Short mmCIF file of all heavy atoms in Angstrom, two decimals:
data_model
loop_
_atom_site.label_atom_id
_atom_site.label_comp_id
_atom_site.label_asym_id
_atom_site.label_seq_id
_atom_site.Cartn_x
_atom_site.Cartn_y
_atom_site.Cartn_z
N GLN G 11 27.26 1.12 15.70
CA GLN G 11 25.88 1.28 15.22
C GLN G 11 24.84 0.94 16.29
O GLN G 11 23.63 1.03 16.05
CB GLN G 11 25.64 0.40 13.98
CG GLN G 11 26.67 0.60 12.88
CD GLN G 11 26.87 2.06 12.50
OE1 GLN G 11 25.91 2.81 12.34
NE2 GLN G 11 28.13 2.48 12.36
N SER G 12 25.30 0.60 17.48
CA SER G 12 24.39 0.26 18.57
C SER G 12 23.69 1.50 19.12
O SER G 12 24.32 2.56 19.25
CB SER G 12 25.16 -0.43 19.70
OG SER G 12 24.35 -0.55 20.86
N PRO G 13 22.42 1.39 19.48
CA PRO G 13 21.73 2.51 20.15
C PRO G 13 22.30 2.82 21.53
O PRO G 13 21.93 3.83 22.13
CB PRO G 13 20.29 2.03 20.25
CG PRO G 13 20.15 0.93 19.28
CD PRO G 13 21.49 0.28 19.19
N LYS G 14 23.20 1.97 22.01
CA LYS G 14 23.84 2.21 23.30
C LYS G 14 25.20 2.89 23.14
O LYS G 14 25.90 3.13 24.13
CB LYS G 14 24.02 0.87 24.03
CG LYS G 14 22.70 0.12 24.25
CD LYS G 14 22.93 -1.29 24.74
CE LYS G 14 21.62 -2.07 24.81
NZ LYS G 14 21.82 -3.48 25.20
N PHE G 15 25.58 3.18 21.91
CA PHE G 15 26.83 3.87 21.62
C PHE G 15 26.55 5.36 21.54
O PHE G 15 25.82 5.83 20.66
CB PHE G 15 27.39 3.36 20.29
CG PHE G 15 28.72 3.97 19.91
CD1 PHE G 15 29.91 3.34 20.22
CD2 PHE G 15 28.78 5.17 19.21
CE1 PHE G 15 31.14 3.90 19.86
CE2 PHE G 15 29.99 5.74 18.85
CZ PHE G 15 31.18 5.09 19.18
N HIS G 16 27.14 6.13 22.46
CA HIS G 16 26.90 7.58 22.54
C HIS G 16 28.21 8.37 22.55
O HIS G 16 28.26 9.50 23.03
CB HIS G 16 26.09 7.92 23.79
CG HIS G 16 24.79 7.18 23.88
ND1 HIS G 16 23.74 7.41 23.03
CD2 HIS G 16 24.37 6.19 24.73
CE1 HIS G 16 22.73 6.62 23.34
NE2 HIS G 16 23.09 5.87 24.36
N ALA G 17 29.28 7.77 22.04
CA ALA G 17 30.60 8.40 22.07
C ALA G 17 30.91 9.09 20.75
O ALA G 17 30.28 8.82 19.72
CB ALA G 17 31.66 7.34 22.36
N TYR G 18 31.88 10.00 20.78
CA TYR G 18 32.37 10.68 19.58
C TYR G 18 31.21 11.34 18.83
O TYR G 18 30.44 12.08 19.39
CB TYR G 18 33.14 9.69 18.69
CG TYR G 18 34.11 8.83 19.47
CD1 TYR G 18 33.90 7.47 19.63
CD2 TYR G 18 35.22 9.40 20.09
CE1 TYR G 18 34.79 6.68 20.38
CE2 TYR G 18 36.12 8.63 20.82
CZ TYR G 18 35.88 7.27 20.97
OH TYR G 18 36.74 6.51 21.71
N PHE G 19 31.08 11.05 17.53
CA PHE G 19 29.94 11.46 16.72
C PHE G 19 29.43 10.23 15.99
O PHE G 19 30.13 9.21 15.92
CB PHE G 19 30.35 12.54 15.71
CG PHE G 19 30.40 13.93 16.27
CD1 PHE G 19 31.50 14.74 16.03
CD2 PHE G 19 29.35 14.46 17.01
CE1 PHE G 19 31.56 16.04 16.53
CE2 PHE G 19 29.40 15.75 17.52
CZ PHE G 19 30.50 16.54 17.28
N PRO G 20 28.24 10.30 15.39
CA PRO G 20 27.78 9.15 14.59
C PRO G 20 28.70 8.91 13.41
O PRO G 20 29.21 9.85 12.79
CB PRO G 20 26.39 9.59 14.10
CG PRO G 20 26.01 10.76 14.92
CD PRO G 20 27.28 11.40 15.39
N TYR G 21 28.93 7.66 13.10
CA TYR G 21 29.53 7.25 11.83
C TYR G 21 28.58 6.20 11.27
O TYR G 21 28.72 5.01 11.53
CB TYR G 21 30.94 6.70 12.01
CG TYR G 21 31.99 7.79 12.03
CD1 TYR G 21 32.21 8.56 13.17
CD2 TYR G 21 32.73 8.08 10.89
CE1 TYR G 21 33.14 9.58 13.18
CE2 TYR G 21 33.67 9.10 10.89
CZ TYR G 21 33.87 9.84 12.03
OH TYR G 21 34.79 10.86 12.04
N LEU G 22 27.61 6.69 10.51
CA LEU G 22 26.46 5.87 10.18
C LEU G 22 26.64 5.10 8.88
O LEU G 22 27.56 5.33 8.11
CB LEU G 22 25.21 6.75 10.10
CG LEU G 22 24.78 7.36 11.44
CD1 LEU G 22 23.61 8.30 11.25
CD2 LEU G 22 24.42 6.26 12.44
N GLN G 23 25.74 4.19 8.67
CA GLN G 23 25.62 3.45 7.43
C GLN G 23 24.15 3.21 7.17
O GLN G 23 23.30 3.56 7.98
CB GLN G 23 26.40 2.13 7.50
CG GLN G 23 26.28 1.38 8.81
CD GLN G 23 24.93 0.70 9.05
OE1 GLN G 23 23.97 0.91 8.35
NE2 GLN G 23 24.86 -0.11 10.07
N SER G 24 23.86 2.64 6.02
CA SER G 24 22.50 2.26 5.68
C SER G 24 22.57 1.17 4.62
O SER G 24 23.60 1.00 3.97
CB SER G 24 21.70 3.46 5.16
OG SER G 24 22.27 3.96 3.97
N TYR G 25 21.49 0.47 4.45
CA TYR G 25 21.49 -0.59 3.45
C TYR G 25 21.75 -0.06 2.04
O TYR G 25 22.52 -0.66 1.29
CB TYR G 25 20.19 -1.38 3.51
CG TYR G 25 20.02 -2.14 4.82
CD1 TYR G 25 18.87 -2.02 5.59
CD2 TYR G 25 21.03 -2.98 5.30
CE1 TYR G 25 18.72 -2.70 6.79
CE2 TYR G 25 20.90 -3.67 6.50
CZ TYR G 25 19.74 -3.53 7.23
OH TYR G 25 19.59 -4.20 8.42
N PRO G 26 21.16 1.08 1.63
CA PRO G 26 21.50 1.60 0.31
C PRO G 26 23.00 1.90 0.15
O PRO G 26 23.59 1.61 -0.90
CB PRO G 26 20.67 2.89 0.22
CG PRO G 26 19.51 2.66 1.11
CD PRO G 26 20.06 1.85 2.25
N ALA G 27 23.62 2.47 1.19
CA ALA G 27 25.04 2.79 1.09
C ALA G 27 25.90 1.54 1.05
O ALA G 27 26.92 1.49 0.35
CB ALA G 27 25.45 3.68 2.27
N ILE G 28 25.50 0.51 1.79
CA ILE G 28 26.24 -0.76 1.76
C ILE G 28 26.17 -1.37 0.37
O ILE G 28 27.19 -1.85 -0.18
CB ILE G 28 25.68 -1.74 2.81
CG1 ILE G 28 25.96 -1.23 4.23
CG2 ILE G 28 26.27 -3.14 2.63
CD1 ILE G 28 25.24 -2.00 5.32
N LEU G 29 25.00 -1.33 -0.25
CA LEU G 29 24.85 -1.86 -1.61
C LEU G 29 25.71 -1.07 -2.60
O LEU G 29 26.33 -1.64 -3.50
CB LEU G 29 23.38 -1.81 -2.04
CG LEU G 29 22.43 -2.78 -1.32
CD1 LEU G 29 20.98 -2.46 -1.67
CD2 LEU G 29 22.77 -4.22 -1.69
N ALA G 30 25.75 0.25 -2.42
CA ALA G 30 26.57 1.08 -3.32
C ALA G 30 28.05 0.74 -3.17
O ALA G 30 28.79 0.72 -4.17
CB ALA G 30 26.33 2.55 -3.02
N ASP G 31 28.49 0.48 -1.95
CA ASP G 31 29.89 0.10 -1.75
C ASP G 31 30.21 -1.23 -2.42
O ASP G 31 31.33 -1.45 -2.89
CB ASP G 31 30.22 0.05 -0.26
CG ASP G 31 30.86 1.33 0.25
OD1 ASP G 31 31.24 2.17 -0.58
OD2 ASP G 31 31.00 1.49 1.48
N MET G 32 29.23 -2.13 -2.45
CA MET G 32 29.43 -3.39 -3.18
C MET G 32 29.68 -3.12 -4.66
O MET G 32 30.59 -3.68 -5.27
CB MET G 32 28.22 -4.30 -3.00
CG MET G 32 28.07 -4.90 -1.62
SD MET G 32 26.55 -5.88 -1.47
CE MET G 32 26.83 -7.18 -2.67
N LEU G 33 28.86 -2.25 -5.24
CA LEU G 33 29.01 -1.92 -6.66
C LEU G 33 30.33 -1.20 -6.91
O LEU G 33 31.02 -1.47 -7.91
CB LEU G 33 27.84 -1.08 -7.14
CG LEU G 33 27.87 -0.64 -8.60
CD1 LEU G 33 27.94 -1.85 -9.53
CD2 LEU G 33 26.65 0.21 -8.93
N SER G 34 30.68 -0.28 -6.03
CA SER G 34 31.95 0.43 -6.16
C SER G 34 33.11 -0.55 -6.15
O SER G 34 34.05 -0.43 -6.95
CB SER G 34 32.10 1.44 -5.03
OG SER G 34 33.36 2.07 -5.07
N GLY G 35 33.03 -1.54 -5.25
CA GLY G 35 34.09 -2.55 -5.19
C GLY G 35 34.15 -3.39 -6.46
O GLY G 35 35.23 -3.80 -6.90
N ALA G 36 32.99 -3.64 -7.06
CA ALA G 36 32.95 -4.45 -8.28
C ALA G 36 33.50 -3.68 -9.47
O ALA G 36 34.29 -4.21 -10.26
CB ALA G 36 31.52 -4.89 -8.56
N ILE G 37 33.10 -2.41 -9.60
CA ILE G 37 33.60 -1.58 -10.70
C ILE G 37 35.10 -1.34 -10.53
O ILE G 37 35.87 -1.41 -11.47
CB ILE G 37 32.84 -0.25 -10.77
CG1 ILE G 37 31.37 -0.51 -11.15
CG2 ILE G 37 33.50 0.70 -11.77
CD1 ILE G 37 30.49 0.72 -11.08
N SER G 38 35.49 -1.04 -9.30
CA SER G 38 36.90 -0.90 -8.91
C SER G 38 37.68 0.00 -9.85
O SER G 38 38.78 -0.32 -10.29
CB SER G 38 37.57 -2.29 -8.85
OG SER G 38 38.77 -2.23 -8.11
N CYS G 39 37.11 1.16 -10.14
CA CYS G 39 37.83 2.15 -10.95
C CYS G 39 38.63 3.07 -10.03
O CYS G 39 38.31 3.22 -8.85
CB CYS G 39 36.86 2.96 -11.80
SG CYS G 39 35.77 4.05 -10.86
#
């Protein structure tokens, strides 16, 4: 996630997506 990382392609994240993964982990269906 560093601005100095220019290899491969982006594999991004965001705070909304991190929060959603928390909920997904909690529901755990």
Side-chain angles (χ1 to χ4, degrees):
Q11 308 309 315
S12 170
K14 302 169 186 176
F15 182 95
H16 304 291
Y18 314 111
F19 278 132
Y21 275 79
L22 293 175
Q23 41 74 349
S24 62
Y25 295 128
I28 293 170
L29 290 170
D31 263 350
M32 288 176 63
L33 179 58
S34 175
I37 294 173
S38 197
C39 68

